[in-house]
Amino acid sequence: MFRAAERARRDGQTRRALALLVAARGAAGDNTPLRARAELLRGLLLLGDGPVADAHQSLLLAAESSEGHDVEGAEQALAAAAEAAWAAGDLTAYLQSLERPAGHPADGTPPSGRTENASTVATPWGAFRAGMRHVVLVDFARAAREMEPLLAAAARTQQPHVLLYAGRAALILGDITAARRLLGRALAVAGTDGVSDLTARILEFLAYAELRAGLHHQARAHAEEGLRAARRLGQRNFGAQHHALLALVFSLVDADGATEHHGEAALAVARPHGLLQVSTMAEWARARADLGHGRAEQAAIRLGPLLRPGPRRGHFGLWMLAVPCLVEATVLAGLDDDVTDMVDLYAGWAALGADAQATAQLTRLRALTARDEDCDALYQQALAEHEAAAESQFEHARTLLAYGMWLRRRRRLLEARLQLRAALVGFEHCGALLWEKRARSELRATGDSAASDDASALGRLTAQQQRVASLVSSGATNREVATRLSLSPRTVDHHLRNIFSQLGVRSRVELALLMNGEQTERSGGSGKA
């Protein structure tokens, strides 16, 4: 019965798996290990597709039933219970799941035959739970110490679940480069071993790490792949998470209302299943798209209830990340709301050092809310901090845009053009087409005749994308391109999908026609043979 339920779960048949588990629980009778196994599987099923409050209760029961005879099972159940509480945005339940000790033998000794490092490789959940407890308690130094064995173990293993938790640990601790490396390895190993039930989760955190790094095209590709994997496995909750991530990606582009589409798709699952993290992310994405369109007041109205105390407050893990949007929207809309408390709250977050972008963003917020005579120096300080951090190009471009707008409104037009042109280049490089249009609009308002919207679409491609496009348009196969550029065929395929998306073409033939037309135009359009 359990095996049949496991097979149904792997095949994405959640309802059938749950029905089989009802029968398995009845057949288990007083067999505690079997009942624990049934509750763990039920909780994991509901975590992927069902009300996460119900998943939390099943997983706590699984942990209780595992105590004394299955430490690894208890740790896994508690870690998954914490996941369910996090998804629901229940801070009290989350902390309780983190603080609750996993079962040990009656004499209190650790399981025999395992060293500490071997235990960490086998069961990464304990180190992750211990570290996250200190993250929630805002002690990042202690969190790093608790998670260090997990990060060390990840260097010596090819187990995808260990790499997943290690990548998440690095992401939480602010090491985005390490997070992307570990999660990329987890994805590769999971694909090799056929560990399909992990795929959607690995892609979720990898896409989020790429968003944090400002790599929006890669984030989109992985979130779309994760959405397909979640659908294939019947994991609607994880699918909703990918919809929310895609809404965030498209809040920079907003092609054909894609932000609204993915936001609504995320909320359609998040609301009945109690996924507060997903719904908060979807609303944040909509607000960021509003900002990109210049609808500052609408963005402020959307974000205010999510970030301030009250019945509609959003997820505790996302408050700080969305504060810069709320402050900017409130100031640009000219609302009377005092956002000093939000800036002070963000200052506390930036001081923790867990987000390399936070220092520069904080200085931008101080510039937005400062007295006029202090703004110039603050904007310049923020730009210097962006350069020092060498992090997200999108956030750097946002600061350049804010500074350019401030200069324009003070009729310092030559200085404004310099900042706005730099912002335009930054938005172009990271594919933030919606914000690129906003920067162009501001440039036009300064009287800059070079701020036309009809710049070459090919000019927006990265240097590597341009090389791939050139070779493909000349007739090279993906494998031939990979050999020429020392890339993997999979990387070439990834670049090609992004090129098609950015240029609005659907085939290699259309790409070749576009490339040849561009080259003809650059050569003077003489039409000579």
Side-chain angles (χ1 to χ4, degrees):
M1 200 74 71
F2 283 112
R3 289 177 183 171
E6 282 281 13
R7 282 197 300 273
R9 180 192 176 208
R10 286 195 298 270
D11 292 340
Q13 299 174 354
T14 302
R15 303 277 78 81
R16 172 172 166 74
L18 288 170
L20 287 167
L21 281 176
V22 171
R25 289 160 78 191
D30 295 331
N31 188 321
T32 302
L34 285 181
R35 293 187 69 82
R37 182 179 169 190
E39 288 296 345
L40 175 60
L41 185 53
R42 180 177 186 271
L44 292 174
L45 281 163
L46 291 175
L47 183 59
D49 184 11
V52 286
D54 294 349
H56 181 70
Q57 292 304 319
S58 276
L59 292 161
L60 288 181
L61 283 173
E64 288 175 7
S65 301
S66 300
E67 287 177 354
H69 64 84
D70 182 6
V71 177
E72 181 176 342
E75 277 289 10
Q76 184 183 8
L78 285 173
E83 297 279 347
W86 177 277
D90 188 335
L91 180 56
T92 301
Y94 185 63
L95 265 174
Q96 288 172 347
S97 298
L98 296 178
E99 292 170 346
R100 182 170 173 170
H104 281 79
D107 61 1
T109 60
S112 60
R114 280 187 187 163
T115 64
E116 179 184 346
N117 286 341
S119 178
T120 302
V121 172
T123 58
W125 310 289
F128 187 78
R129 281 203 308 129
M132 284 304 299
R133 176 176 177 273
H134 292 287
V135 167
V136 174
L137 297 175
V138 204
D139 185 350
F140 277 82
R142 179 69 184 275
R145 290 197 298 273
E146 294 285 0
M147 290 177 172
E148 179 55 37
L150 172 57
L151 293 169
R156 302 186 301 277
T157 185
Q158 293 299 314
Q159 296 185 38
H161 66 288
V162 178
L163 292 167
L164 169 59
Y165 273 91
R168 292 177 61 187
L171 184 58
I172 289 291
L173 296 173
D175 191 343
I176 307 301
T177 300
R180 290 177 56 229
R181 182 180 67 252
L182 289 163
L183 292 164
R185 278 179 59 205
L187 183 61
V189 174
T192 301
D193 293 349
V195 189
S196 58
D197 60 335
L198 281 177
T199 303
R201 299 310 310 276
I202 294 170
L203 286 164
E204 171 190 333
F205 290 103
L206 180 55
Y208 185 66
E210 288 164 341
L211 267 179
R212 291 279 303 277
L215 303 171
H216 303 103
H217 296 309
Q218 291 93 319
R220 175 183 174 182
H222 282 124
E224 288 175 340
E225 188 179 348
L227 181 57
R228 288 191 292 271
R231 285 172 174 165
R232 193 165 58 248
L233 296 166
Q235 297 171 332
R236 286 187 297 168
N237 290 355
F238 300 148
Q241 182 71 41
H242 285 288
H243 274 301
L245 285 167
L246 285 166
L248 274 176
V249 170
F250 282 109
S251 68
L252 309 185
V253 182
D254 206 31
D256 300 321
T259 303
E260 194 67 21
H261 165 73
H262 286 290
E264 283 296 338
L267 291 168
V269 177
R271 286 167 176 155
H273 288 182
L275 305 173
L276 185 62
Q277 181 192 17
V278 169
S279 58
T280 302
M281 192 176 290
E283 291 293 357
W284 174 27
R286 289 163 135 187
R288 198 160 73 164
D290 285 335
L291 261 180
H293 281 295
R295 300 190 293 258
E297 185 172 358
Q298 180 62 33
I301 291 170
R302 195 185 295 278
L303 283 174
L306 291 179
L307 302 186
R308 297 189 182 280
R312 292 175 56 197
R313 196 171 196 186
H315 193 279
F316 60 88
L318 295 173
W319 292 335
M320 291 301 102
L321 298 177
V323 161
C325 286
L326 174 61
V327 173
E328 181 177 345
T330 303
V331 171
L332 292 182
L335 301 178
D336 292 334
D337 300 15
D338 184 4
V339 289
T340 306
D341 59 332
M342 288 284 110
V343 177
D344 291 343
L345 193 65
Y346 195 78
W349 161 251
L352 297 173
D355 186 344
Q357 304 172 34
T359 300
Q361 289 191 73
L362 171 63
T363 307
R364 181 175 78 217
L365 299 188
R366 294 201 189 285
L368 282 165
T369 56
R371 297 176 304 174
D372 208 54
E373 58 267 30
D374 297 329
C375 290
D376 212 336
L378 285 168
Y379 276 122
Q380 292 186 35
Q381 179 186 335
L383 292 173
E385 288 165 347
H386 279 298
E387 293 287 352
E391 285 291 332
S392 172
Q393 195 167 38
F394 174 68
E395 292 300 336
H396 191 169
R398 279 183 73 175
T399 299
L400 288 163
L401 174 62
Y403 188 21
M405 291 169 64
W406 181 84
L407 289 166
R408 183 181 74 78
R409 282 154 179 73
R410 278 140 195 86
R411 309 303 301 166
R412 294 164 58 178
L413 300 184
L414 292 177
E415 296 169 88
R417 286 171 194 157
L418 287 175
Q419 303 303 326
L420 292 169
R421 285 170 183 160
L424 179 60
V425 170
F427 290 137
E428 285 176 339
H429 282 179
C430 64
L433 302 184
L434 176 59
W435 292 73
E436 178 190 330
K437 290 178 182 177
R438 186 175 165 196
R440 286 188 190 282
S441 176
E442 286 290 329
L443 260 176
R444 282 195 296 271
T446 69
D448 190 330
S449 59
S452 77
D453 285 316
D454 46 345
S456 166
L458 291 169
R460 299 194 188 106
L461 300 180
T462 66
Q464 187 75 295
Q465 287 173 335
Q466 289 179 8
R467 286 190 284 270
V468 170
S470 178
L471 289 170
V472 167
S473 67
S474 68
T477 66
N478 284 14
R479 190 167 294 279
E480 289 168 343
V481 174
T483 302
R484 290 278 299 276
L485 299 181
S486 299
L487 301 172
S488 71
R490 180 176 179 177
T491 299
V492 172
D493 182 63
H494 167 73
H495 280 313
L496 200 54
R497 287 200 304 270
N498 284 336
I499 290 165
F500 280 16
S501 174
Q502 289 181 71
L503 299 183
V505 299
R506 292 171 294 180
S507 69
R508 301 167 89 92
V509 172
E510 288 184 17
L511 176 62
L513 290 171
L514 179 64
M515 292 288 289
N516 291 334
E518 179 77 7
Q519 288 164 2
T520 300
E521 183 177 321
R522 285 180 179 175
S523 66
S526 62
K528 293 180 181 178

